[in-house]
């Protein structure tokens, strides 16, 4: 009698098939398991057998299998990725999680371990991509460059994170309501009752202590300001490194003063889309601050010499306010002190409006680790562009993203006519400086405002893959220049970016273009133009003509 023999591959396949049959009625668990197989096709038989024996028929058990499948995927994460994953707790199930905010928070909390030559932020980006790839977070919106901009957490995953966070003593037992806890980091075993306690030197009656703790526990989900006002300054509270107040209404200067005095080790502070209009002088106490986000506020400057004290800043995301007349105003940096902030990697957007700001641009040119720069130029001071170009010419090694917005003064409230562009009177982004060398590392350029044609140095940017234009009134000559860029993958031609009524994508141009956004103009593709194009987005309906289509294309039309 001959014993039956099954190859290791057949045994492995049978185990996989058995697991999928057990999850037959559970789409979530099936998807999660397939993600795990795709990520690691060499999962051991021991791991598969262990998983198979924990699962039960999904038609009977409901969500129990989902939790076990999430745990299976979670335990195969690198250890520091596990901590990042659990730090997403707790999130309101209806909230989107912005990629950029999440990875910066991970870095601020020292959750990321650097590997090889990668920066902490690059490693955090890898972690985010890994969580998406494994299905532990769900991609919600994508950028034109194909990167995930925001994600969500499935309710099953959210419940699992809550459970694991309690087991790991990360955030679940702090006593904070979910919407409150996701706004700040409380780690290292800090408990809500510890925060509520007065220093030992202060005599505090027991019933008052109990009442105060009850106040804290009874706070509304998003009543962050009340929480900060109730909690006394303490060494425990000083351990908080992340405070995210985005969208928190009613924020006043005294609230910010309270934050600066109590949370003195903050590394991440977001005041985005709040009522903040002015920063207190106490902001200089946050000397460990790495990410400071004040976008969508009316804050216009730092008080006194506070900028000199914030030497650890890496990401400075500045205010942007649109006035009733459509004008855009943003943040004025001081003319001195900026150049010493050598850790700065993102500076977006700063405002320059007169000759006195030339010094500010010179200081920016000293930030040799700057990766992303955004500048708003106000008025008709064309020479400011010259100094801007000199500054970016000194950022040759690291600068990857450049955004320039030109807010030209309008005479009697009327826009300049197209004749101004044709006559060459518009702002010129070319440089006559023989020593000027455009940053060869630039991958993204955005220009918003009337210019006298694309700067010719753009042709030298061999890594340029993304261009956004708005109100630039370009000509066919400029479009021809864009068509010759060898790495251009994403082109966004927004309102009034092109001067003629019909845009012609000429033969054998835009050979690498994959994403195209067009606003308010007709477009014609000549034969063999943009052969790699996969997606076109129209902001307004516009006629489109193909002489030859080399690849299937997805259309996205918005009225």
């Amino acid at each position: 009698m001959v014993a039956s023999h099954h190859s290791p591959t057949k045994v492995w396949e049978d185990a996989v098939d058995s697991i999928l049959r057990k999850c037959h009625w559970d789409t979530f668990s099936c998807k999660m398991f397939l993600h795990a197989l795709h990520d690691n096709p060499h999962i051991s038989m021991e791991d598969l057998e262990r998983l198979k024996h924990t699962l039960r028929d999904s038609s009977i058990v409901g969500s129990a299998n989902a939790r076990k499948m999430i745990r299976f995927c979670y335990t195969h994460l690198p250890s520091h990725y596990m901590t990042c994953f659990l730090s997403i707790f707790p999130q309101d199930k209806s909230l989107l999680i912005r990629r950029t905010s999440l990875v910066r928070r991970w870095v601020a909390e020292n959750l990321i371990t650097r590997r090889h030559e990668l920066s902490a932020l690059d490693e955090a980006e890898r972690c985010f991509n890994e969580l998406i790839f494994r299905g532990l977070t769900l991609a919600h919106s994508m950028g034109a460059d194909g990167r995930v901009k925001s994600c969500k957490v499935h309710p099953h995953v959210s419940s699992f994170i809550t459970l694991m966070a309690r087991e790991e003593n990360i955030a679940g037992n702090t006593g904070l309501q979910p919407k409150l806890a996701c706004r700040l980091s409380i780690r290292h075993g800090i408990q809500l009752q510890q925060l509520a306690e007065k220093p030992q030197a202060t005599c505090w009656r027991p019933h008052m202590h109990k009442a105060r703790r009850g106040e804290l526990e009874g706070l509304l989900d998003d009543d962050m300001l009340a929480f900060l006002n109730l909690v006394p300054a303490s060494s425990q509270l000083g351990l908080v490194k992340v405070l995210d107040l985005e969208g928190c209404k009613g924020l006043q200067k005294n609230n910010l003063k309270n934050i600066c005095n109590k949370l003195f080790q903050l590394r991440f502070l977001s005041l985005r889309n709040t009522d903040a209009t002015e920063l207190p002088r106490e902001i200089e106490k946050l000397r460990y601050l790495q990410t400071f986000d004040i976008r969508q506020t009316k804050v216009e400057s730092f008080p006194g010499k506070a900028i000199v004290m914030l030497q650890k800043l890496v990401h400075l995301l500045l205010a942007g306010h649109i006035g009733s007349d459509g004008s855009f105003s943003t943040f004025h940096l001081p003319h001195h002190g900026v150049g010493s902030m050598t850790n700065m990697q993102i500076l977006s957007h700063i405002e320059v409006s007169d000759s006195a700001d030339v010094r500010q641009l010179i200081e920016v040119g000293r930030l040799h680790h700057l990766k992303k720069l955004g500048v708003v130029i106000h008025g008709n001071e064309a020479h400011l562009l010259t100094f801007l170009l000199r500054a970016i010419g000194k950022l040759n090694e690291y600068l990857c993203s450049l955004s320039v917005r030109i807010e030209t003064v309008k005479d009697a409230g009327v826009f300049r006519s197209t004749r101004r562009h044709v006559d060459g009177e518009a702002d010129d982004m070319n440089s006559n400086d023989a020593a000027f060398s455009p940053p060869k590392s630039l991958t993204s350029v955005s220009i918003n405002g009337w210019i006298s044609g694309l700067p010719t140095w753009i042709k030298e940017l061999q890594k340029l893959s993304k261009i956004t234009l708005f109100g630039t009134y370009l000509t066919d000559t400029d479009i021809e220049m864009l068509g010759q860029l060898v790495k251009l993958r994403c082109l966004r031609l927004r309102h009034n970016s092109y001067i003629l009524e019909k845009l012609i994508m000429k033969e054998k141009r835009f050979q690498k273009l994959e994403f195209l956004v067009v606003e308010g103009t007709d477009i014609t593709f000549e034969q063999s133009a943009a052969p790699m194009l996969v997606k076109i987005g129209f902001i307004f309906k516009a006629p489109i003509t193909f002489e030859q289509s080399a690849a299937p294309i997805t259309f996205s039309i918005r009225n």
Side-chain angles (χ1 to χ4, degrees):
M1 184 175 183
V2 180
S4 62
H5 174 73
H6 296 285
S7 69
T9 301
K10 181 65 167 61
V11 174
W12 190 90
E13 290 175 351
D14 287 344
V16 169
D17 184 60
S18 178
I19 291 171
L20 290 173
R21 282 201 307 271
K22 284 194 171 187
C23 298
H24 179 67
W25 299 104
D26 185 351
T27 304
F28 173 84
S29 295
C30 284
K31 286 183 177 179
M32 185 70 71
F33 182 58
L34 292 174
H35 273 291
L37 287 180
H38 189 267
D39 184 65
N40 182 12
H42 303 294
I43 293 176
S44 69
M45 269 303 303
E46 291 78 8
D47 286 340
L48 290 178
E49 286 295 331
R50 194 178 300 114
L51 175 62
K52 184 175 72 172
H53 289 305
T54 62
L55 298 174
R56 298 175 61 187
D57 189 334
S58 61
S59 63
I60 299 173
V61 181
S63 63
N65 278 352
R67 188 179 301 113
K68 291 169 184 174
M69 193 64 74
I70 296 168
R71 184 180 289 272
F72 174 76
C73 296
Y74 166 76
T75 55
H76 285 81
L77 284 171
S79 58
H80 59 299
Y81 286 9
M82 289 182 181
T83 309
C84 291
F85 172 60
L86 295 183
S87 75
I88 299 174
F89 169 87
Q91 290 286 344
D92 186 304
K93 295 178 179 62
S94 65
L95 292 179
L96 295 180
I97 305 167
R98 194 179 294 110
R99 174 183 57 82
T100 51
S101 294
L102 188 59
V103 298
R104 288 167 187 159
R105 285 181 64 152
W106 288 341
V107 173
E109 293 186 67
N110 286 335
L111 302 183
I112 289 294
T113 302
R114 291 180 58 180
R115 292 190 300 177
H116 309 299
E117 297 302 318
L118 289 178
S119 68
L121 190 61
D122 289 336
E123 183 65 19
E125 292 278 3
R126 274 193 175 187
C127 177
F128 181 87
N129 293 336
E130 188 71 14
L131 296 182
I132 291 287
F133 190 69
R134 291 174 183 252
L136 291 169
T137 55
L138 305 174
H140 180 266
S141 62
M142 307 286 289
D145 56 359
R147 290 209 305 171
V148 176
K149 293 177 65 177
S150 64
C151 65
K152 295 187 74 172
V153 175
H154 191 281
H156 287 326
V157 176
S158 181
S159 298
F160 175 81
I161 293 175
T162 302
L163 176 65
M164 288 302 299
R166 286 172 181 161
E167 290 182 10
E168 300 292 335
N169 193 29
I170 288 181
N173 56 1
T174 60
L176 297 177
Q177 294 288 345
K179 286 187 180 179
L180 197 62
C182 72
R183 290 190 179 275
L184 76 165
S185 63
I186 296 184
R187 297 180 179 275
H188 312 293
I190 304 174
Q191 305 296 310
L192 180 62
Q193 56 267 30
Q194 288 176 296
L195 293 178
E197 291 173 357
K198 284 281 189 180
Q200 292 182 355
T202 302
C203 186
W204 206 18
R205 285 179 295 175
H207 73 275
M208 291 181 65
H209 172 84
K210 183 176 180 180
R212 189 176 185 86
R213 189 187 306 176
E215 284 184 277
L216 286 167
E217 293 174 346
L219 288 175
L220 296 176
D221 280 356
D222 56 355
D223 201 351
M224 192 71 224
L225 300 183
F227 172 78
L228 290 172
N229 288 330
L230 282 170
V231 177
S234 70
S235 59
Q236 294 286 344
L237 191 62
L239 293 175
V240 175
K241 295 179 180 177
V242 168
L243 180 61
D244 188 348
L245 296 178
E246 180 176 347
C248 189
K249 300 304 180 183
L251 191 67
Q252 303 295 324
K253 187 176 179 180
N254 64 313
N255 300 127
L256 296 177
K257 215 180 266 192
N258 199 21
I259 290 169
C260 297
N261 287 326
K262 293 180 178 180
L263 281 66
F264 42 83
Q265 289 198 43
L266 275 182
R267 296 185 181 182
F268 178 104
L269 175 60
S270 176
L271 308 180
R272 184 174 183 175
N273 191 26
T274 65
D275 299 325
T277 58
E278 185 180 359
L279 298 177
R281 190 172 295 275
E282 287 78 4
I283 196 74
E284 66 183 37
K285 294 182 179 181
L286 304 182
R287 299 186 184 184
Y288 298 97
L289 201 59
Q290 296 175 359
T291 295
F292 189 28
D293 189 348
I294 53 173
R295 288 172 292 181
Q296 296 171 259
T297 70
K298 294 184 179 180
V299 177
E300 296 182 351
S301 63
F302 279 111
K305 296 182 179 180
I307 191 71
V308 180
M309 308 303 293
L310 304 178
Q311 291 295 300
K312 292 187 180 293
L313 273 175
V314 178
H315 310 123
L316 185 52
L317 308 164
L318 298 171
H321 177 65
I322 300 177
S324 57
D325 61 349
S327 62
F328 183 84
S329 62
T330 183
F331 201 91
H332 253 97
L333 285 178
H335 298 153
H336 298 279
V338 178
S340 63
M341 305 178 73
T342 54
N343 293 312
M344 191 77 73
Q345 294 182 15
I346 297 178
L347 181 58
S348 181
H349 282 75
I350 58 171
E351 180 177 318
V352 293
S353 57
D354 52 42
S355 296
D357 291 333
V358 167
R359 179 68 191 177
Q360 178 180 321
L361 291 175
I362 294 173
E363 294 262 315
V364 168
R366 296 174 180 168
L367 305 177
H368 296 303
H369 288 88
L370 203 61
K371 293 182 178 180
K372 182 176 181 179
L373 174 64
V375 179
V376 177
I377 295 180
H378 269 273
N380 293 320
E381 305 269 353
H383 70 286
L384 292 176
L385 274 172
T386 301
F387 285 98
L388 172 61
L389 291 173
R390 289 180 185 176
I392 67 174
K394 296 177 180 179
L395 304 174
N396 207 335
E397 186 175 354
Y398 290 98
L399 192 65
C400 296
S401 176
L402 174 65
S403 174
V404 180
R405 181 169 181 141
I406 302 168
E407 288 280 319
T408 307
V409 173
K410 303 161 190 172
D411 297 326
V414 180
F415 283 100
R416 291 171 294 175
S417 67
T418 56
R419 188 183 311 141
R420 185 175 180 84
H421 172 89
V422 175
D423 292 343
E425 297 178 13
D427 297 308
D428 190 349
M429 289 192 67
N430 281 291
S431 175
N432 296 321
D433 189 345
F436 173 73
S437 176
K440 299 296 192 299
S441 54
L442 271 176
T443 60
S444 175
V445 170
S446 175
I447 303 174
N448 185 333
W450 217 299
I451 56 175
S452 58
L454 282 176
T456 55
W457 48 263
I458 276 187
K459 293 185 292 186
E460 302 176 39
L461 304 178
Q462 298 303 306
K463 295 183 179 181
L464 191 59
S465 62
K466 179 180 177 182
I467 295 180
T468 301
L469 303 170
F470 194 111
T472 49
Y473 288 91
L474 303 183
T475 65
D476 278 340
T477 302
D478 301 309
I479 300 299
E480 173 71 14
M481 187 190 306
L482 293 176
Q484 297 179 48
L485 294 173
V486 295
K487 292 289 182 69
L488 187 62
R489 293 179 60 245
C490 174
L491 176 61
R492 291 195 273 192
L493 300 174
R494 303 300 303 274
H495 185 60
N496 289 337
S497 59
Y498 185 61
I499 199 171
L500 303 178
E501 293 183 357
K502 178 178 288 188
L503 172 66
I504 300 177
M505 308 289 278
K506 294 188 177 180
E507 183 179 1
K508 296 183 179 180
R509 295 294 185 260
F510 299 98
Q511 290 296 294
K512 297 293 184 181
L513 192 66
E514 297 177 13
F515 305 96
L516 174 64
V517 176
V518 179
E519 183 171 352
T521 184
D522 299 358
I523 181 171
T524 297
F525 289 82
E526 292 186 351
Q527 184 175 358
S528 300
M532 305 294 289
L533 194 62
V534 295
K535 185 175 182 179
I536 304 177
F538 290 103
I539 308 301
F540 302 113
K541 290 182 179 179
I544 179 171
T545 304
F546 287 96
E547 294 190 5
Q548 177 179 337
S549 178
I553 296 174
T554 301
F555 292 92
S556 174
I557 301 177
R558 287 190 292 161
N559 290 318

